[in-house]
Amino acid sequence: MIFFCNFATSKLVTNMLRTHNCGELRIDNKAQEVVLCGWVHRSRNLGGMTFIDLRDRYGLTQLAFNEQVNKELCSFARTLGREYVLQVEGVVCERSSKNPKMPTGDIEIEVHNIKVLNQSKTPPFTIEDNTDGGDELRMRYRYLDLRRNILKQNLSLRHRLSILIRNYMNDSGFMEIETPFLIKSTPEGARDFVVPSRMNDGQFYALPQSPQTFKQLLMVAGYDRYFQLVRCFRDEDLRADRQPEFTQLDCEMAFVEQEDVLQMFEGLMKYLFVKEKELEFGSFPRITWDEAMRLYGSDKPDVRFGMQFVELNDAVKGANFKVFDEAELVVGVCVKNCADYTRKQLDELTEFVKRPQVGASGLVYIKVTEGEIKSSVDKFYSPQQLTSISKKFNAQTGDLILILAGEKHKTRAALSCLRLEMGTRLGLRKSDDFAPLWVVDFPLLEWDEDTQRYYAMHHPFTAPKTEDYPKLFTAPADVRANAYDLVVNGVELGGGSIRIHDRDMQNDMFKTLGFTEEEAKNQFGFLLDAFEYGAPPHGGIAFGFDRICAVFSGVDSIRDFIAFPKNNNGRDVMLDAPSNISQAQLDELNIKLK
Ligand code: ASP
């Protein structure tokens, strides 16, 4: 029901329902007649005076009602509940007690007319920065959660970044071209979401995991600089930084080599940092994949802090300490100024590394203290040996060395988790500190024990380094790719590669991946065919756009940079999707449920 409280001759007849928004009035507007629209954020009843904070996307403005000036209006104002939608008319006045924390805190509106545009039920949680609503409840009423400041800020950041990106891409000669959402399912990569086709009985479309093959076809077609801010779909288990549908900034260029792509997109990132954060960067550091794994145990290292790995095989083996003697790799980090860690703190760290997600079997420590060196392996190593180990880390008095041992890949991964944990505990991963870097020279292939075959580490269209190509059939694991990732603060923001543009090389790649000729033709025949009609050399990259937004805000989760995200079970709890469909729909699709 809409009702009207007409206490004075209304001047509310304008094309727009308001003259100003709730965030823009200042002392300079004093004495102006204004009309505002918004939601009742909160109201305070102080005897003779009633105040309402009116809220819209732009901010809050205080409305004042003086009982002595207009008793009836003041009583009416008191009846207005939280989240009612109002149109108010009044005059801008200077506040007697100003609020320096509010941009509009110098003024208030002395209201002489209110129209209730709509009523509201009491919301199930408070629309405040520190809301009392739990996750699930806020997801169910996402449109109310979206009224809160944090989400408004996140979505406006997302909007600004998308405009900046489009400007940069446009100024650099890229064309935005849309590619289809209903495509063909392929077994490579992550799991596809599939869509049944009514008109093609028993057949399915897949939703794209990325527009990879289309952007390559656009290169064949001659659109030599393409980009798209595009939704992608992957049916994977969810984590904080993953959603089943997410947005990529997808890009491709023809007639380029790796260096050209790196320069172009380093330029983009620098542009975003300058425009959004007023941060200037020199050239981004580059590190090879091998080095990243050796120094940080991760292909997306957080280099906001040092704590690089030091490998200790040579220094520790042969002292009859079985754990080290039998390990493929013994490796450690030096944590500054933590030699005073207590037994309890060290036990906690041991528990941490033993968690299944981290996977180490134990933790060895060395404490470098004034005039003394102590360790959990004193039985096996003399103080001289421990000192010489600590020198490998350049450890100083007061430092703590943490060491893990075991199978190479697992141990590196576990130490990487420990390194990040220590970085977090010591406050070295500051959210307003940004450390971008390129990781280059990824291996082309990775071996999978379960299926006993090679998989493309990036995707099957990635070109091997020219000098490594001859090893494709003799030593596939040693072939490096022209592939690169852009990493910021330990997050892979983007990844791409120079592509294969030669049919024979692409066939060789499919062969290495265990595809029969028939399978390759069946799944990627269209691309192989296109390579026979003048495919130019090309390469590109795709960025996780939601991730860029999260990293720019210094948070891990991408969920709150998406207006209507899914929960951790891939559900939209507001829509209650996915849901069953009717028998009639199933029949039409000729789908029989078990
Ligand atoms: N399509 C790739 C991906 O989604 C990115 C690229 O190679 O451009 O990871």
Side-chain angles (χ1 to χ4, degrees):
M1 183 181 66
I2 295 180
F3 58 95
F4 202 164
C5 181
N6 197 1
F7 295 96
T9 322
S10 176
K11 295 196 193 82
L12 301 184
V13 193
T14 56
N15 280 338
M16 299 278 195
L17 295 180
R18 56 189 172 181
T19 58
H20 294 81
N21 65 50
C22 294
E24 69 180 314
L25 293 170
R26 299 288 184 271
I27 197 73
D28 290 348
N29 301 96
K30 196 168 151 180
Q32 269 180 30
E33 273 289 324
V34 296
V35 182
L36 300 183
C37 290
W39 287 261
V40 174
H41 186 63
R42 62 174 84 90
S43 62
R44 293 177 304 283
N45 180 0
L46 305 178
M49 292 292 292
T50 289
F51 297 101
I52 290 178
D53 286 340
L54 195 67
R55 187 195 65 240
D56 66 9
R57 189 184 126 193
Y58 309 91
L60 291 171
T61 298
Q62 177 165 292
L63 312 178
F65 302 86
N66 188 338
E67 208 175 59
Q68 276 163 9
V69 176
N70 190 336
K71 193 155 192 252
E72 214 181 335
L73 185 65
C74 194
S75 319
F76 180 66
R78 282 179 199 153
T79 66
L80 303 172
R82 268 165 52 202
E83 302 307 313
Y84 272 45
V85 190
L86 308 182
Q87 183 187 44
V88 298
E89 185 186 311
V91 66
V92 181
C93 298
E94 187 166 356
R95 279 204 213 182
S96 51
S97 63
K98 302 197 166 56
N99 181 351
K101 288 195 201 124
M102 265 171 97
T104 61
D106 286 351
I107 58 105
E108 64 192 7
I109 312 297
E110 224 176 77
V111 177
H112 43 71
N113 210 3
I114 304 181
K115 184 175 175 183
V116 175
L117 298 176
N118 214 338
Q119 294 172 286
S120 169
K121 287 202 213 168
T122 304
F125 51 86
T126 53
I127 314 289
E128 299 284 353
D129 292 353
N130 283 319
T131 175
D132 56 0
D135 253 14
E136 201 68 13
L137 191 66
R138 284 185 290 119
M139 289 282 268
R140 184 131 62 87
Y141 296 92
R142 186 68 171 179
Y143 47 90
L144 296 180
D145 208 18
L146 286 168
R147 290 182 186 170
R148 296 194 310 123
N149 281 327
I150 181 71
L151 283 156
K152 281 193 285 194
Q153 284 157 10
N154 289 353
L155 292 189
S156 28
L157 169 73
R158 185 184 178 103
H159 166 72
R160 285 195 306 277
L161 288 174
S162 78
I163 297 293
L164 289 172
I165 286 170
R166 287 198 159 98
N167 287 344
Y168 180 91
M169 300 307 286
N170 182 54
D171 291 348
S172 308
F174 285 78
M175 266 171 82
E176 183 159 21
I177 303 175
E178 288 162 288
T179 50
F181 277 172
L182 294 177
I183 68 167
K184 185 181 166 80
S185 181
T186 61
E188 288 301 284
R191 208 175 290 114
D192 283 328
F193 278 103
V194 293
V195 180
S197 164
R198 180 184 54 81
M199 287 191 287
N200 301 274
D201 197 12
Q203 295 192 314
F204 294 81
Y205 299 102
L207 301 178
Q209 296 183 26
S210 87
Q212 184 61 36
T213 47
F214 291 103
K215 66 176 172 176
Q216 293 193 239
L217 293 173
L218 285 170
M219 295 305 111
V220 179
Y223 294 84
D224 61 345
R225 289 185 171 201
Y226 141 95
F227 86 103
Q228 190 181 186
L229 271 169
V230 61
R231 198 70 57 82
C232 299
F233 307 85
R234 295 184 190 172
D235 188 3
E236 294 174 305
D237 294 336
L238 303 182
R239 295 193 309 238
D241 61 348
R242 279 202 192 147
Q243 281 276 313
E245 48 179 311
F246 59 97
T247 302
Q248 275 192 349
L249 165 62
D250 189 46
C251 314
E252 197 74 6
M253 304 168 80
F255 306 117
V256 287
E257 293 178 334
Q258 172 165 313
E259 190 56 34
D260 305 305
V261 181
L262 298 192
Q263 291 296 339
M264 177 60 70
F265 292 98
E266 187 164 320
L268 168 69
M269 289 313 293
K270 284 181 182 168
Y271 175 77
L272 298 182
F273 276 120
V274 166
K275 292 285 181 189
E276 183 56 37
K277 297 265 162 210
E278 293 178 13
L279 285 176
E280 302 244 10
F281 285 94
S283 291
F284 291 178
R286 293 185 193 179
I287 182 174
T288 64
W289 182 88
D290 268 338
E291 239 183 321
M293 298 311 287
R294 193 167 47 77
L295 296 176
Y296 302 99
S298 163
D299 59 4
K300 43 180 191 308
D302 185 347
V303 295
R304 277 174 295 184
F305 63 106
M307 231 188 266
Q308 290 183 348
F309 290 12
V310 175
E311 300 194 347
L312 297 170
N313 283 13
D314 293 345
V316 299
K317 290 215 176 218
N320 283 328
F321 179 42
K322 225 169 128 195
V323 176
F324 284 179
D325 284 348
E326 287 175 1
E328 185 185 0
L329 178 69
V330 182
V331 59
V333 289
C334 175
V335 190
K336 292 266 140 225
N337 302 317
C338 284
D340 57 357
Y341 260 40
T342 59
R343 174 89 256 155
K344 187 163 167 263
Q345 283 172 303
L346 290 165
D347 285 348
E348 237 174 63
L349 292 182
T350 309
E351 285 313 306
F352 173 84
V353 297
K354 282 179 156 175
R355 286 161 37 175
Q357 308 93 300
V358 181
S361 46
L363 175 68
V364 168
Y365 67 82
I366 302 174
K367 287 176 167 184
V368 186
T369 52
E370 192 64 57
E372 199 184 15
I373 191 152
K374 279 210 285 197
S375 80
S376 52
V377 286
D378 284 347
K379 263 199 280 178
F380 303 97
Y381 299 93
S382 67
Q384 289 74 12
Q385 284 172 309
L386 293 175
T387 306
S388 91
I389 295 171
S390 77
K391 285 212 172 108
K392 288 189 168 287
F393 291 87
N394 278 325
Q396 311 291 312
T397 302
D399 292 351
L400 172 71
I401 294 168
L402 300 172
I403 302 171
L404 300 181
E407 190 268 325
K408 185 165 94 180
H409 299 292
K410 281 199 185 132
T411 306
R412 281 178 170 172
L415 190 62
S416 168
C417 293
L418 181 61
R419 173 180 176 270
L420 293 176
E421 172 70 13
M422 294 314 292
T424 306
R425 283 179 185 227
L426 298 174
L428 303 174
R429 305 176 73 191
K430 297 195 189 75
S431 60
D432 55 354
D433 195 8
F434 296 92
L437 86 159
W438 289 106
V439 179
V440 297
D441 297 356
F442 275 74
L444 184 70
L445 303 161
E446 62 187 333
W447 178 254
D448 180 62
E449 273 302 322
D450 293 344
T451 48
Q452 290 286 305
R453 58 159 276 205
Y454 281 106
Y455 281 86
M457 195 149 190
H458 188 53
H459 51 55
F461 317 108
T462 295
K465 284 198 177 294
T466 318
E467 62 273 29
D468 290 357
Y469 182 32
K471 288 190 278 189
L472 194 59
F473 292 113
T474 54
D478 296 341
V479 179
R480 290 164 307 156
N482 277 321
Y484 32 79
D485 275 0
L486 181 79
V487 175
V488 178
N489 295 0
V491 180
E492 179 202 326
L493 281 192
S497 60
I498 295 299
R499 326 298 183 188
I500 297 169
H501 65 282
D502 173 79
R503 182 173 179 142
D504 292 338
M505 189 189 279
Q506 189 66 67
N507 273 333
D508 283 349
M509 182 66 181
F510 285 139
K511 232 181 268 168
T512 311
L513 295 174
F515 284 52
T516 62
E517 232 170 84
E518 196 53 37
E519 283 167 342
K521 225 176 134 201
N522 220 327
Q523 285 174 40
F524 297 111
F526 61 96
L527 190 68
L528 292 168
D529 286 350
F531 284 172
E532 294 191 289
Y533 291 93
H538 60 285
I541 192 166
F543 293 89
F545 180 53
D546 318 281
R547 281 193 194 168
I548 296 182
C549 298
V551 164
F552 269 60
S553 301
V555 303
D556 291 334
S557 172
I558 61 169
R559 203 173 75 179
D560 284 343
F561 296 86
I562 297 172
F564 297 102
K566 310 276 186 283
N567 75 3
N568 287 344
N569 298 322
R571 295 199 70 82
D572 185 322
V573 291
M574 184 181 66
L575 303 181
D576 194 21
S579 61
N580 298 329
I581 57 174
S582 72
Q583 191 56 50
Q585 283 173 297
L586 287 171
D587 290 346
E588 213 168 36
L589 295 167
N590 205 3
I591 292 179
K592 286 179 192 49
L593 298 181
K594 267 200 287 194

